[in-house]
Structures are given as structure tokens and as C-alpha cells.
Amino acid sequence: MLMKATVSGSDVKTGGIALHNLQKRYGNAIAVDDVSLSISPGEFISLLGPSGSGKTTSLMMIAGFETPDSGQILLDGKDITRLPPHRRELGVIFQNYALFPHMTVAENVAYPLRMRRMAKVEVEKRVGHILDQVHLGALASRYPHQMSGGQQQRVAIARALVFDPPVLLLDEPLGALDKKLREHLRNEIKTLHKEVGKTMIYVTHDQDEALSMSDRVAVMHEGRIRQVSAPKDIYRRPADLFVAGFVGEVNLVPVKLKSGTVHGPASENLPAPEWQEADRDATLCVRPEHLHLKTSPPGSSGGLQGRISGMTFVGDATIFQFRSETGLELLSKVLNVLPETMPGVGDPCVASWAANDATILTE
Ligand SMILES: Nc1ncnc2c1ncn2[C@@H]1O[C@H](COP(=O)(O)OP(=O)(O)OP(=O)(O)O)[C@@H](O)[C@H]1O
Ligand SMILES: [Mg+2]
């Protein structure tokens, strides 16, 4: 009896990706500089960073459309660094995704399968299934120009998923859409991720998108990964000043670390996490929603002395501008939920925060 060859463990594609010291130059400019990252099977990870930080270049090296100058890319432990794109079998949605305008939705989605010479019956079955998954079953015979931007986007996602790749690479897939639609599709992609269980590597420069969708976020700047953490930790425990400033609003207070305590610009004691290392200058970071302003008689201690210098109503919250006696400008964000009396412009205040809500950075 003929035994069907069993697939050995190393051939099973579960979608684990490892990047080792990836480097890519264009002329003298380094686009990607020593990027290492380990992505678990089924993980949703975002590459977040400003324009030109190397996100697309990193993704294109994973996809095989760019070749690294040095470094290694592993898919489920197998070196794919020099494998052509079609042999990597990864689903890709490009930054400027393009559907074929002369093909219907179903034909667009079937395209990757036809390229793989799959039997017609099987093609129809798979296309029907994936279109249902992205809720486009009813629009299969439309052409791209007869659809909204969000619907076209879902066709692009279906086309990238139809051949059942272990990994889906998405480059700013919602970039061209308006805010409402972006938020809607954000949730749809997240739901789809849960349903299909694929590894997803999602490139974006939109911090809300990265924080709300990802298991982990890798923040990139000038070709390097500055921090890889769960969204909560990226926000609450930024690893450096770039991450602190790029993700959300942040107040920065220049401080001196001395004998385990943190001294502000007027040598006042400031609340901060415990500090054990050597004495030095540093920056204390605290988010506006963690910075509390208390009207107080002059001379009271426990924070920065100063005055309210302005306030802005932003709907759900009020943003207070605070100017310390030493000239620091800080922001305090207060949700407009309580009918409490708010301080007014010109009022003397103490700006303070809980020790655990501050981060000390020493770069
Ligand atoms: N083909 C190329 N030739 C020369 N330079 C390039 C090329 N592709 C990218 N670069 C440069 O490499 C750097 C990283 O580009 P990349 O496209 O990876 O950035 P990105 O983070 O995706 O930015 P964006 O958010 O604008 O899409 C940039 O400085 C860019 O100008
Ligand atoms: Mg890009």
C-alpha cells in the first residue's frame, strides 16, 4: 500500500517570522539599519513610524521584493532571505494596492489561484469562501470602479488571503480612506485576524491604528526599531524620547537624579519611580491625562509650582496649559465628566502626578 508522505515538522507553515540584523542601503542612505525582530505564529504586529523610517522597505524584504544587503529572514525557521516572492507564499497588500480594473471582484480574487494553475472548481470554492469572509459575497460580479474605497480595500485583502498564506503583510492598507471608514475597517481587519488566525505584519504611521489593532508594536525611526512592546507598554513605558514623543502627547520635564530622588528644574522633589542607578541628568515623561493641576496657596510643595496659562475645550476633555515658575510649558488633560469646578486661566497651581505614571529617560 502506498503511504501518503507525511509532512515533516519543518515544512508546516505556521507563520513564525524571524528577522536577523537586516540592513538595506539605497546609495549612501541607510533605509533599514540592523533590524531584528521575532514574530510569533498568529501574532498581529505593527511596524509604526514616521514617513521614511524604513517600514515599507522592511516589509518588502520580508515579501521578497527587496533584497537585504545583509541579514537574514526566516519563515518557520527556514531561511527565505534570497527566495523569490512567489516562492515565499506570503499574502501582500501594497501601500498603493491596485485591483485589476478590467476584472470583476471574483476575477481579481481568483487571480493568485489562476497563477498557481488551480482547478476551476477549487478556484470557485475558495473565492466564494473568502468573499463571504470579507462580506463581499453579494458583490462578486462588480468591477472595482463600481465599489467604494472600503469595499475595494476588502477585495485587496481577500485577494491576499485567498491562497491561504501563513502570513499576511499589509502596508498602510487604510491610508487612502476617510477617518470613519478607517476606524470601521480597522475593526474588520482585527476581527478577520481573529477568525483566520494568520500572522499579520501591519505597516502604519498612524499610532491609533497601531495601538488599537496590534498584539505588539515595533516603533521605527531612521531605519531602526526603537522599541517593541505591547501597545499599553509602548504608551505607558516608552523606551526613549523618540517613542515617547511619537506615540501620543507627552510632557517632558528636565530632571536631575540624585541619591535616588528626582529633582525638578527648581530643585523641587518630583514624584517618579524609584531610581537606583548613578546620579545624572535625565528627562521625566508624563502624559497629559496623568498630570493633575491643583489650585494651591503659593509655597505648597509636592510638584511643580506655576500657573494656568491657557485652556482649550476639545469636546470630551479640556486641555489646560500650565506654565511653571521656571518657564516649563506642560499640558494637563481632564475629561469633561464631572461638573466639578475647574481652575481658571491665571490661577496659581501645583502640577503633580502619581510616581508610577512617570517614566524616567536617560538617553
Ligand atoms: N527605491 C528606493 N531608492 C532610493 N531610496 C529609497 C527607495 N525606497 C526607499 N528609499 C528610501 O529609504 C527610506 C525608507 O523608505 P521606506 O519606503 O521604507 O519608508 P516608510 O517608513 O515606508 O515611509 P512612508 O510612511 O512614507 O511610506 C526613505 O528615506 C526612502 O527615501
Ligand atoms: Mg511606506
Side-chain angles (χ1 to χ4, degrees):
M1 187 177 76
L2 272 176
M3 291 280 284
K4 199 177 166 196
T6 50
V7 183
S8 74
S10 62
D11 287 340
V12 178
K13 286 193 179 153
T14 56
I17 295 262
L19 311 178
H20 293 303
N21 309 102
L22 283 189
Q23 181 126 350
K24 178 72 184 176
R25 286 171 174 276
Y26 294 108
N28 285 331
I30 299 190
V32 170
D33 189 8
D34 199 25
V35 161
S36 295
L37 185 61
S38 191
I39 303 165
S40 310
E43 188 173 11
F44 193 121
I45 192 163
S46 290
L47 305 183
L48 172 69
S51 186
S53 56
K55 308 180 297 292
T56 294
T57 308
S58 300
L59 204 71
M60 287 302 109
M61 288 193 284
I62 300 172
F65 296 102
E66 290 285 1
T67 312
D69 298 326
S70 57
Q72 217 185 11
I73 303 167
L74 307 180
L75 170 60
D76 295 324
K78 187 175 148 236
D79 190 338
I80 59 165
T81 318
R82 318 241 153 232
L83 215 58
H86 65 274
R87 295 198 40 217
R88 298 186 187 200
E89 297 280 313
L90 305 178
V92 186
I93 296 172
F94 295 99
Q95 190 159 7
N96 297 311
Y97 70 94
L99 299 175
F100 303 115
H102 57 287
M103 291 187 194
T104 64
V105 167
E107 287 162 357
N108 263 283
V109 175
Y111 186 79
L113 303 180
R114 294 208 197 291
M115 292 287 286
R116 287 169 174 77
R117 302 188 190 290
M118 191 177 275
K120 204 164 172 231
V121 189
E122 180 68 13
V123 170
E124 275 169 19
K125 198 173 116 207
R126 288 225 197 177
V127 169
H129 176 69
I130 198 75
L131 282 179
D132 282 344
Q133 259 186 324
V134 297
H135 309 292
L136 283 178
L139 306 184
S141 54
R142 288 225 191 144
Y143 286 89
H145 73 270
Q146 297 170 316
M147 308 178 82
S148 74
Q151 290 166 338
Q152 291 182 30
Q153 187 54 55
R154 278 185 274 158
V155 178
I157 292 174
R159 189 173 61 180
L161 278 175
V162 73
F163 60 90
D164 203 25
V167 181
L168 192 58
L169 309 173
L170 306 103
D171 193 353
E172 307 253 9
L174 309 181
L177 307 171
D178 68 53
K179 189 164 176 286
K180 267 252 144 32
L181 195 51
R182 287 174 78 107
E183 279 167 16
H184 176 66
L185 285 177
R186 203 192 271 178
N187 294 333
E188 284 201 357
I189 293 177
K190 193 69 205 143
T191 307
L192 191 70
H193 173 248
K194 286 210 191 88
E195 284 168 11
V196 300
K198 309 275 184 202
T199 307
M200 293 200 181
I201 308 179
Y202 189 96
V203 161
T204 180
H205 63 264
D206 181 324
Q207 43 163 309
D208 292 339
E209 225 165 82
L211 295 180
S212 63
M213 297 174 82
S214 318
D215 296 319
R216 284 189 305 157
V217 178
V219 182
M220 293 193 74
H221 180 51
E222 293 178 344
R224 286 179 165 263
I225 293 184
R226 305 293 289 255
Q227 182 171 5
V228 191
S229 303
K232 193 158 55 81
D233 295 324
I234 291 277
Y235 187 78
R236 289 198 45 106
R237 298 285 169 236
D240 61 29
L241 285 172
F242 174 77
V243 176
F246 187 70
V247 181
E249 292 273 0
V250 71
N251 291 302
L252 301 177
V253 182
V255 294
K256 282 193 191 309
L257 310 175
K258 225 169 160 184
S259 324
T261 48
V262 176
H263 299 281
S267 297
E268 62 275 73
N269 272 353
L270 297 180
E274 272 189 40
W275 182 262
Q276 303 297 348
E277 291 167 50
D279 295 355
R280 61 184 297 176
D281 291 346
T283 306
L284 181 145
C285 305
V286 60
R287 301 286 179 191
E289 67 272 27
H290 295 141
L291 187 128
H292 309 298
L293 298 176
K294 290 208 182 79
T295 42
S296 66
S300 58
S301 63
L304 295 162
Q305 306 278 337
R307 281 178 190 279
I308 309 254
S309 56
M311 53 196 285
T312 312
F313 175 74
V314 293
D316 61 338
T318 300
I319 312 288
F320 290 89
Q321 285 147 267
F322 168 86
R323 189 179 167 84
S324 78
E325 283 170 359
T326 57
L328 269 179
E329 301 277 357
L330 304 176
L331 299 177
S332 168
K333 180 177 180 178
V334 182
L335 283 179
N336 295 329
V337 284
L338 298 169
E340 62 189 322
T341 42
M342 303 272 210
V345 175
D347 287 355
C349 276
V350 174
S352 193
W353 49 86
N356 196 38
D357 286 334
T359 303
I360 298 286
L361 299 176
T362 56
E363 52 180 337

PDB file of all heavy atoms in Angstrom, residues 21 72 131 300:
ATOM      1  N   ASN A  21      19.192  41.084  12.017  1.00  0.00           N
ATOM      2  CA  ASN A  21      20.149  42.122  11.601  1.00  0.00           C
ATOM      3  C   ASN A  21      19.990  42.562  10.149  1.00  0.00           C
ATOM      4  O   ASN A  21      20.960  42.656   9.399  1.00  0.00           O
ATOM      5  CB  ASN A  21      21.596  41.620  11.821  1.00  0.00           C
ATOM      6  CG  ASN A  21      21.787  41.081  13.219  1.00  0.00           C
ATOM      7  OD1 ASN A  21      21.790  39.862  13.429  1.00  0.00           O
ATOM      8  ND2 ASN A  21      21.901  41.967  14.183  1.00  0.00           N
ATOM      9  N   GLN A  72      19.264  38.261   7.694  1.00  0.00           N
ATOM     10  CA  GLN A  72      18.589  37.007   7.375  1.00  0.00           C
ATOM     11  C   GLN A  72      17.106  37.087   7.712  1.00  0.00           C
ATOM     12  O   GLN A  72      16.731  37.731   8.711  1.00  0.00           O
ATOM     13  CB  GLN A  72      19.228  35.919   8.244  1.00  0.00           C
ATOM     14  CG  GLN A  72      19.370  34.606   7.573  1.00  0.00           C
ATOM     15  CD  GLN A  72      19.883  33.548   8.531  1.00  0.00           C
ATOM     16  OE1 GLN A  72      19.947  33.758   9.745  1.00  0.00           O
ATOM     17  NE2 GLN A  72      20.233  32.404   7.991  1.00  0.00           N
ATOM     18  N   LEU A 131     -14.652  35.559  -0.159  1.00  0.00           N
ATOM     19  CA  LEU A 131     -15.502  36.751  -0.333  1.00  0.00           C
ATOM     20  C   LEU A 131     -16.572  36.813   0.757  1.00  0.00           C
ATOM     21  O   LEU A 131     -16.910  37.886   1.239  1.00  0.00           O
ATOM     22  CB  LEU A 131     -16.135  36.760  -1.725  1.00  0.00           C
ATOM     23  CG  LEU A 131     -15.198  37.213  -2.859  1.00  0.00           C
ATOM     24  CD1 LEU A 131     -15.917  37.175  -4.200  1.00  0.00           C
ATOM     25  CD2 LEU A 131     -14.629  38.605  -2.608  1.00  0.00           C
ATOM     26  N   SER A 300       3.252  75.858  48.525  1.00  0.00           N
ATOM     27  CA  SER A 300       2.975  74.454  48.853  1.00  0.00           C
ATOM     28  C   SER A 300       3.877  73.551  48.006  1.00  0.00           C
ATOM     29  O   SER A 300       4.291  73.918  46.918  1.00  0.00           O
ATOM     30  CB  SER A 300       1.502  74.129  48.628  1.00  0.00           C
ATOM     31  OG  SER A 300       1.151  74.383  47.302  1.00  0.00           O
TER      32      SER A 300
END
